[in-house]
């Protein structure tokens, strides 16, 4: 199914009808073993959110320290607090997504349970989204007035490096794309949810990267505080998993993975091609014959690698390998004709042997990609 997503640029959230008790803001709080922070956080949020009709949604992944029980016991006396308790699953991103999808409030906020995010900035962030000035309001450590508090030098370094990388992948020029503290319109989350990866903990980054049209982002600075109680759950390993996922996503956004693989194989094939061409020329063959030999070897080489990697999911086995190789040659024969023709042309024009060889290979490989995915590795 094709998703057509249109985010009206200036639509503000409609004001709640007079006298209705609509909730304006849902604050999603992911928790894993945060028992000792729950009451402090609720008190802090109650103070910070005065004047806003809000609800607090804790999403707990079966903490062993009684976090969920505590939240439920508080929720017995407060209808604006509830606990989504998940069993047999772990994951910050998926917890946050589930929390955000579980509310009918038009605007949702995400904040850590450990008091590291400055809840007093929430009101300003909410206003930006409520007034329609931004689709997302992000709490930023790296904007003027923000800070990382008492982080170790190593953690600051890792965070900085990850931030730079994320900035490269994003259309939005924002200072803290790795922030776990933000306010966003719920309809945007609902639209984007099927595209989100659920893995890792960079939910904001995932949202920004999954939007078909850049979201309008505003940043509000804050100083990252020291953890109130308990320990951090984000190991370096988690961060690396997350970075790999993001890289994949960043690349996949511009070039389909399969084409990227085909091109990489093609590049290696070009190396093989040029090597054979060089040897054949040294052996005294004419350029046209040498180029034809190089093409023949390179095709066999590319076929094996593409069959093993690029089309791993449609991999040809047994006798099909021979049939596939034959069809790949057939497909490439036309490509090879273009290849040799183009190469000879460039060579005849007086250019260097390697430029001529490469020009031929490029012309041939464009044809090869299109045709081989239709014939050789046809979806069955
Ligand atoms: N439900 C659920 N499931 N919650 C989780 C899980 C999980 O698997 N892992 C962590 N949490 C909760 C924690 O209980 C806490 O409330 C919040 O998510 C953040 O976890 P921390 O372990 O405190 O992360 P951090 O302080 O190292 O990193 C935070 O700050 C970074 C910098 O802004 C997170 O907010 C990161 O997303 C953020 O990049
Ligand atoms: Mn934390």
């Amino acid at each position: 199914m094709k998703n057509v997503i249109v985010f009206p640029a200036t639509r503000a959230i409609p004001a709640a009808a007079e006298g209705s008790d609509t909730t304006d803001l849902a604050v999603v709080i992911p928790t894993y073993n945060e028992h000792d922070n729950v009451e402090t956080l609720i008190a802090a949020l109650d103070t910070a959110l005065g004047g806003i009709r809000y609800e607090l949604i804790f999403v707990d992944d079966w903490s062993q320290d009684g976090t969920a029980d505590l939240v439920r016991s508080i929720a017995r006396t407060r209808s604006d607090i509830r606990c989504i308790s998940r069993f047999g699953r772990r994951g910050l991103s998926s917890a946050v997504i589930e929390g955000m999808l579980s509310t009918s409030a038009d605007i949702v906020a995400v904040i850590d349970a450990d008091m590291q995010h400055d809840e007093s900035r929430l009101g300003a962030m909410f206003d930006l989204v409520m007034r329609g000035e931004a689709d997302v309001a992000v709490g930023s450590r790296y904007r003027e007035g923000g800070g990382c508090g008492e982080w170790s030098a190593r953690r600051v370094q890792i965070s900085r490096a990850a931030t730079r990388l994320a900035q490269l992948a994003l259309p939005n020029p924002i200072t803290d794309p790795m922030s776990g503290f933000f306010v966003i319109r719920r309809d945007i989350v609902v639209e984007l949810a099927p595209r989100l990866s659920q893995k890792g903990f960079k939910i904001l980054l995932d949202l920004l990267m999954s939007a078909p049209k850049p979201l309008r982002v505003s940043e509000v600075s804050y100083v990252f505080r020291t953890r109130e109680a308990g320990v951090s759950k984000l190991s370096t390993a988690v961060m690396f998993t997350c970075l790999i996922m993001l890289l994949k996503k960043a690349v996949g956004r511009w070039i389909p993975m399969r084409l990227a693989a085909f091109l990489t194989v093609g590049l290696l094939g070009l190396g093989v091609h040029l090597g054979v061409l060089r040897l054949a020329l040294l052996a005294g063959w004419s350029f046209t014959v040498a180029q034809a030999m190089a093409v023949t070897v390179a095709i066999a080489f590319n076929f094996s690698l593409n069959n093993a990697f690029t089309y791993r999911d449609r991999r040809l086995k047994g006798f099909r390998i021979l049939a596939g190789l034959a069809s790949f040659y057939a497909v490439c024969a036309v490509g090879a004709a273009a290849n040799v023709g183009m190469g000879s042309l460039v060579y005849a024009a007086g250019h260097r042997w390697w430029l001529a060889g490469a020009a031929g290979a490029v012309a041939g490989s464009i044809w090869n990609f299109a045709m081989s995915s239709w014939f050789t590795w046809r979806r069955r």
Side-chain angles (χ1 to χ4, degrees):
M1 193 187 76
K2 217 161 176 198
N3 269 328
V4 180
I5 301 183
V6 182
F7 297 130
T10 49
R11 200 201 79 185
I13 301 296
E18 197 64 42
S20 80
D21 58 356
T22 317
T23 304
D24 297 324
L25 173 71
V27 183
V28 174
I29 307 149
T31 56
Y32 188 71
N33 292 340
E34 301 287 1
H35 180 278
D36 296 348
N37 290 314
V38 168
E39 284 172 308
T40 322
L41 179 72
I42 292 176
L45 286 173
D46 285 342
T47 307
L49 296 176
I52 301 173
R53 285 168 301 188
Y54 60 91
E55 64 173 338
L56 308 183
I57 305 168
F58 288 82
V59 188
D60 185 72
D61 281 353
W62 216 256
S63 295
Q64 296 307 296
D65 66 351
T67 304
D69 283 335
L70 176 60
V71 174
R72 276 189 291 257
S73 74
I74 298 169
R76 285 170 70 87
T77 61
R78 283 185 60 168
S79 60
D80 59 348
I81 296 182
R82 63 198 157 93
C83 180
I84 297 176
S85 187
R86 308 199 306 169
F87 177 77
R89 274 182 296 165
R90 271 290 307 272
L92 181 48
S93 274
S94 65
V96 168
I97 295 168
E98 280 189 43
M100 294 193 294
L101 293 181
S102 79
T103 182
S104 57
D106 285 326
I107 302 179
V108 288
V110 181
I111 189 169
D112 287 355
D114 56 8
M115 298 299 292
Q116 294 197 275
H117 294 156
D118 185 351
E119 74 290 337
S120 72
R121 310 298 282 153
L122 265 181
M125 291 159 71
F126 170 76
D127 283 345
L128 282 166
V129 179
M130 181 69 171
R131 287 198 305 259
E133 282 167 38
D135 299 323
V136 194
V138 177
S140 169
R141 294 161 287 176
Y142 300 126
R143 235 179 88 110
E144 221 187 304
C148 287
E150 301 166 19
W151 270 13
S152 72
R154 182 165 154 276
R155 171 126 198 217
V156 172
Q157 265 178 358
I158 294 176
S159 174
R160 284 267 175 196
T163 299
R164 296 252 159 73
L165 207 88
Q167 282 166 336
L168 288 178
L170 277 179
N172 324 68
I174 82 171
T175 63
D176 197 353
M178 313 300 271
S179 180
F181 182 35
F182 59 94
V183 176
I184 187 169
R185 268 169 43 194
R186 183 195 23 96
D187 61 336
I188 295 177
V189 178
V190 172
E191 298 271 20
L192 296 181
R195 303 173 178 224
L196 302 177
S197 90
Q198 306 234 13
K199 295 210 183 69
F201 59 99
K202 292 307 164 201
I203 176 66
L204 171 67
L205 191 48
D206 203 357
L207 281 164
L208 294 177
M209 286 181 45
S210 302
K213 199 177 106 204
L215 298 177
R216 293 171 308 128
V217 184
S218 290
E219 291 185 297
V220 172
S221 63
Y222 80 98
V223 178
F224 202 74
R225 292 189 294 226
T226 312
R227 207 172 220 288
E228 194 83 347
V231 291
S232 170
K233 283 96 205 173
L234 301 183
S235 61
T236 315
V238 176
M239 295 195 199
F240 271 109
T241 322
C242 195
L243 282 185
I244 301 276
M245 172 211 96
L246 287 167
L247 270 176
K248 259 177 133 166
K249 199 148 192 168
V251 173
R253 189 188 168 99
W254 310 113
I255 326 169
M257 277 325 254
R258 203 184 298 278
L259 178 57
F262 194 87
L263 291 178
T264 308
V265 169
L267 215 62
L268 295 173
L270 179 59
V272 169
H273 179 102
L274 294 181
V276 173
L277 178 63
R278 181 92 177 111
L279 286 177
L281 285 175
L282 284 175
W285 298 89
S286 75
F287 179 81
T288 304
V289 174
Q291 176 80 333
M293 283 173 67
V295 170
T296 310
V297 176
I299 289 175
F301 172 84
N302 281 21
F303 173 81
S304 337
L305 286 196
N306 281 325
N307 195 44
F309 299 109
T310 316
Y311 291 98
R312 188 179 201 90
D313 54 326
R314 305 182 206 167
R315 193 191 216 145
L316 304 168
K317 289 179 189 145
F319 273 122
R320 284 184 191 273
I321 292 185
L322 288 182
L325 183 59
S327 97
F328 195 56
Y329 265 112
V331 161
C332 293
V334 184
N339 188 329
V340 175
M342 169 76 89
S344 304
L345 218 83
V346 176
Y347 191 69
H351 292 293
R352 295 183 177 273
W353 64 271
W354 54 264
L355 185 63
V362 167
S365 57
I366 292 169
W367 170 272
N368 292 348
F369 178 67
M371 290 304 155
S372 69
S373 65
W374 283 341
F375 293 113
T376 311
W377 288 283
R378 152 167 304 203
R379 224 185 288 269
R380 269 170 286 151

